[in-house]
């Protein structure tokens, strides 16, 4: 009996050892994970830092000093540019190595290598979209520029120096959780991260929806409901601005512009309206100091670790401060002693789909320009953890990849609903470009001339580059590779057999819309139309609604003696121009006689609501659900056929109809016997809004408040439970300047007051560290949520005294 017990105990111990050292599904090998000396406990990191640290690092050419402020933001001082970017790579990897690795794997379609078969279709999708193909072309362009090649190589070497210094016990937490080791960084990885930003900001595509609408309703109704210029607009370049160039010839609309009459059952990721960014700059004539003030808050999906990494970079020829993208050298948004710059997304149409006519089922040739052309093959190899390696063949035409053919289309992967079968993707992100050169030059810019020259190197994603200088120049340029197209090209699917449908080169960079020192003494953007209809080129037919832009411009127009506080108040502005435009009409149309007690109470609140989406406003919750459901009431019966997916008309078109077309046919629900009126749908939507809040939160109480309904939080990048932020009770809305939604919003708020001594303020919803066990993982989240800013430490020299410096690292070379 003792022997049996002994054997059973031994077997149990053996089983436990095997279980604790094996990864099952999403559960890490628990013995390694829970080991107090090697596992996740090793990643705990407190607030207190060693005041001094000296490191000898192979690969440096000289010495580097890094001073960390009280938020662990690194301020890097190097004698030469190679060492500067080497140190940037090293220190960014120290804080964000897993984020850099994960995002690179996601972009390049290599997640299966670390998470197994469940990521195969996602990997296949990323490969088929040509993400690595585009990054490879970008690297070729960057390698032809000696300065950019040097900084990319230095940055890469710095990351690898950090990786090689690690023992498994030191690996960032998520590597232990997912049970894999970091691999060496390559310059391609940096390009992949910039392509990932392009993919994020290209948005989605509406061509399939638009084709279905055109097929169902014909050109007249389509043009009426989806016009090429909105009813309400406040363009980035003020309306009436004269263009200072002679335009080149624009391609003509092809005579044989035969649109594809196929009814597509594709439900794409729709371009989301109202998610965007703000930037503006006021000239010294509007500021209390007599110098320009620049503000920028790019809105992106919020994650922990944060999208941005705060840093100062100083060498013999530059001293700049701001935010970088972890994995890419240089500063993307920031300032130096002489200038400040920022970006928002343009929303140019730089992604088109072409119908491909193959010769036969072998798909070796396609018809284009009256002849058969050879299809190029790209073989993609996908390694799978715990499984066999797969290969996937992607077909390329001269347009780009044919993302899915009927044989290669999986049935059970939602992301591919974006993609039409048998269509090639023409996307500017596939082209070679040297975008890093733009930021390299902006980091060192001293004046307007430097800014304009830097922009000529930029390709994608197209951005509204805002600028201010101590010479009292302010400017804004919607900038990037903007394809030269005939008007409306890409609004619908394009026939890939006809060369007239190809892009005809690009709009000359010097013809991109731009304005310097306008008479109104400010420049601004909020993802609205870049220009009025007088601009001679076609960039796109639809942008974000005008409401945020209009509110910014109204506030800036009357602003005098602007200072940090007044600019910060505008960044936090929760007022809704949409509510201002439509609430009077909505209120007038409600039949109060037919409201029950709960609805009457809600009606009284929304009638008196101040139109601010503040966190404690119940009126904001009622209005948001009301106007959203109103769009459903109007359009769902006409545009909601699941077999033939279509999109709804824009918010701008809704407002126009609601205010000025009381008898429009679209109010009637064609699925009911009754003929509904404008008043009917407004009342039905109001009752729906109140009923929704009642069902979700019970009879009216403080839980109905907007902040609670919106429920902002910042999730972990890989959605690992417990690694995201808590619930953040804040205001803002998609139609407010402060465009905070549930998981999307200002990913970095920055204000720069130029002058003899530049002062800057900023915050992002996270922290410098990517380690969930660190005090500095999320130490800025509450500041961000409350709409406050941190004063940024900007050191003029490495030996400048500052009581905010808490630690200094010195790097020496062998």
């Amino acid at each position: 009996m003792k022997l049996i017990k002994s054997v059973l105990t031994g077997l149990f111990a053996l089983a436990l050892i095997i279980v604790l050292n094996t990864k099952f599904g999403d559960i890490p090998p628990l013995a390694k994970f829970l080991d107090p000396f090697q596992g996740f406990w090793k990643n705990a990191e407190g607030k207190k830092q060693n005041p001094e640290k000296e490191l000898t690092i192979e690969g440096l050419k000289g010495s580097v000093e890094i001073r960390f402020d009280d938020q662990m933001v690194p301020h890097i001082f190097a004698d030469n540019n190679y060492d500067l970017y080497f140190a940037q790579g090293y220190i960014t990897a120290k804080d964000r190595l897993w984020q850099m690795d994960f995002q690179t794997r996601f972009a390049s379609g290599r997640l299966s290598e670390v998470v197994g078969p469940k990521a195969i279709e996602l990997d296949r999708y990323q490969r088929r979209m040509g993400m690595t193909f585009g990054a490879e072309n970008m690297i070729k362009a960057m390698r032809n520029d000696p300065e950019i090649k040097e900084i990319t190589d230095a940055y890469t070497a710095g990351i690898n120096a950090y990786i090689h210094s690690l023992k498994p016990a030191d690996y960032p937490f998520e590597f232990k959780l997912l049970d894999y080791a970091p691999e060496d960084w390559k310059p391609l990885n940096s390009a992949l991260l910039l392509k990932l930003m392009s993919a994020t900001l290209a948005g989605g595509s509406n061509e399939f929806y638009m084709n279905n609408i055109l097929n169902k309703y014909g050109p007249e109704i389509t043009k009426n409901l989806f016009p090429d210029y909105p009813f309400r607009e406040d363009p980035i370049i003020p309306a009436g601005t004269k263009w200072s160039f002679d335009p080149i010839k624009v391609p003509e609309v092809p005579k044989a512009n035969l649109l594809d009459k196929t009814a597509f059952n594709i439900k794409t990721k729709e371009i989301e309206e109202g998610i965007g960014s703000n930037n503006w700059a006021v000239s010294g004539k509007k500021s209390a100091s007599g110098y320009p003030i620049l503000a920028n808050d790019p809105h992106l999906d919020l994650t922990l670790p944060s999208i941005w990494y705060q840093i100062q970079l100083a060498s013999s020829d530059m001293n700049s401060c701001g935010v970088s993208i972890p994995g890419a050298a240089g500063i993307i948004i920031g300032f130096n002693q002489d200038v400040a710059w920022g970006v928002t997304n343009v929303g140019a149409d730089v992604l088109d789909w072409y119908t491909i006519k193959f010769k036969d089922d072998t798909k070796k040739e396609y018809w284009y320009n009256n002849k058969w052309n050879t299809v190029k093959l790209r073989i993609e190899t996908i390694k799978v953890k715990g499984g066999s390696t797969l290969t996937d063949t992607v077909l390329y035409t001269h347009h780009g990849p044919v993302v899915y053919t009927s044989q290669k289309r999986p049935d059970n992967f939602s992301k591919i609903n974006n993609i039409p079968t048998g269509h090639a993707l023409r996307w500017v992100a596939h082209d070679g470009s040297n975008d890093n050169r733009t930021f390299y030059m902006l980091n060192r810019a001293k004046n307007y001339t430097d800014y304009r020259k830097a922009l000529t190197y930029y390709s994608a994603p197209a951005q509204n580059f805002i600028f201010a200088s101590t010479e009292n120049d302010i400017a804004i340029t919607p900038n990037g590779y903007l394809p030269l197209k005939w008007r409306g090209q890409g609004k619908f699917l394009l026939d890939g057999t006809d060369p007239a449908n190809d892009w005809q080169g690009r709009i000359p960079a010097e013809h991109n819309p731009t304005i310097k020192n306008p008479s109104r003494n400010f420049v601004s953007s909020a993802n609205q139309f870049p220009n009025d209809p007088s601009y001679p080129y076609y960039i796109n037919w639809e942008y974000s609604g005008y409401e945020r832009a209009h509110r910014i411009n109204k506030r800036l127009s009357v602003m005098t003696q602007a200072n940090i506080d007044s600019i910060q108040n505008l960044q936090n502005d929760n007022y809704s121009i949409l509510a201002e435009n439509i609430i009077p009409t909505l209120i007038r149309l409600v039949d109060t006689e037919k409201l029950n007690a709960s609805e009457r109470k809600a009606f009284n609140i929304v009638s008196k609501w101040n139109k601010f989406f503040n966190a404690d406003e119940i009126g904001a919750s009622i209005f948001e659900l009301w106007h959203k459901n109103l769009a459903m009431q109007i359009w769902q019966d006409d545009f909601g056929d699941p077999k033939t997916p279509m999109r709804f008309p824009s918010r701008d078109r809704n407002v126009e109809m609601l205010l000025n077309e009381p008898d429009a046919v679209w109010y009637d629900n064609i699925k009911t016997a009754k003929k509904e009126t404008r008043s009917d749908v407004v009342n039905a939507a109001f009752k729906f809004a109140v009923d929704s809040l009642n069902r979700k939160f019970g009879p009216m109480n403080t839980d109905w408040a907007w902040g609670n309904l919106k429920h902002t939080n910042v999730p972990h990048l890989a959605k690992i439970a417990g690694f995201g932020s808590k619930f953040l009770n804040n205001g803002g809305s998609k139609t407010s300047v402060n465009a905070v939604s549930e998981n999307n919003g200002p990913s970095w708020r920055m204000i720069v007051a130029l002058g003899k001594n530049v002062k800057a303020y900023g915050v992002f919803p996270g922290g410098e560290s990517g380690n969930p066990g660190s005090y500095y993982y999320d130490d800025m989240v509450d500041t961000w949520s409350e709409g406050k800013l941190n004063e940024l430490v900007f050191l003029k020299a490495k030996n400048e005294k500052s009581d905010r410096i808490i630690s200094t690292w010195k790097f020496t070379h062998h």
Side-chain angles (χ1 to χ4, degrees), residues 732-751:
S733 75
K734 289 182 183 180
T735 61
S736 308
V737 178
N738 183 26
V740 181
S741 58
E742 185 185 4
N743 304 131
N744 188 291
S747 57
W748 163 244
R749 287 196 192 100
M750 179 183 82
I751 300 173

Side-chain angles (χ1 to χ4, degrees), residues 211-227:
N211 253 51
N212 287 343
I213 291 163
L214 188 66
N215 287 339
K216 181 168 180 178
Y217 290 109
E220 202 174 315
I221 286 175
T222 304
K223 191 167 176 51
N224 176 280
L225 293 183
F226 301 90

Side-chain angles (χ1 to χ4, degrees), residues 66-83:
I66 306 178
R67 302 179 73 194
F68 294 90
D69 66 30
D70 48 12
Q71 283 163 326
M72 281 305 283
V73 173
H75 304 262
I76 304 177
F77 292 86
D79 297 330
N80 61 75
N81 283 323
Y82 184 90
D83 286 353

Side-chain angles (χ1 to χ4, degrees), residues 228-229 235-248 250 346 348-349 452 462 464 476-488 506-515 529-541 543:
D228 287 343
Y229 201 81
I236 294 169
I237 310 303
T241 298
K242 298 285 180 249
W243 306 106
S244 60
F245 54 81
D246 293 322
I248 62 170
V250 175
V346 171
D349 186 7
R452 288 295 294 168
N464 299 303
I476 192 164
T477 308
N479 184 62
Y481 184 113
L482 303 176
L484 186 62
K485 297 180 169 191
W486 38 267
R487 197 158 291 279
R506 67 176 288 175
I507 297 169
E510 62 275 18
H511 294 187
N512 285 353
T514 189
I515 191 146
F529 252 84
N531 46 270
D532 70 10
S534 71
Y535 183 64
Y537 303 107
Y538 172 77
I539 302 176
N540 206 347
W541 67 278
Y543 295 82

Side-chain angles (χ1 to χ4, degrees), residues 11 97 99 132 142 323 328 373 457 526 557 595 606 685:
L11 286 172
L97 181 60
Q99 174 188 12
T132 304
M142 287 162 62
V323 287
N373 297 265
Y457 294 94
S557 294
L595 301 181
V606 79

Side-chain angles (χ1 to χ4, degrees), residues 111-147:
L111 280 178
S112 298
E113 292 178 24
V114 297
V115 301
K118 65 185 174 186
I120 288 171
E121 287 309 336
L122 176 59
D123 284 352
R124 205 192 301 264
Y125 167 81
Q126 295 291 78
R127 308 284 185 104
R128 289 185 155 271
M129 286 291 284
M131 293 288 281
T132 304
F133 169 69
E136 288 166 356
N137 290 334
M138 185 181 207
I139 282 292
K140 283 177 198 160
M142 287 162 62
R143 305 311 274 174
N144 289 330
D145 181 331
E147 277 179 325

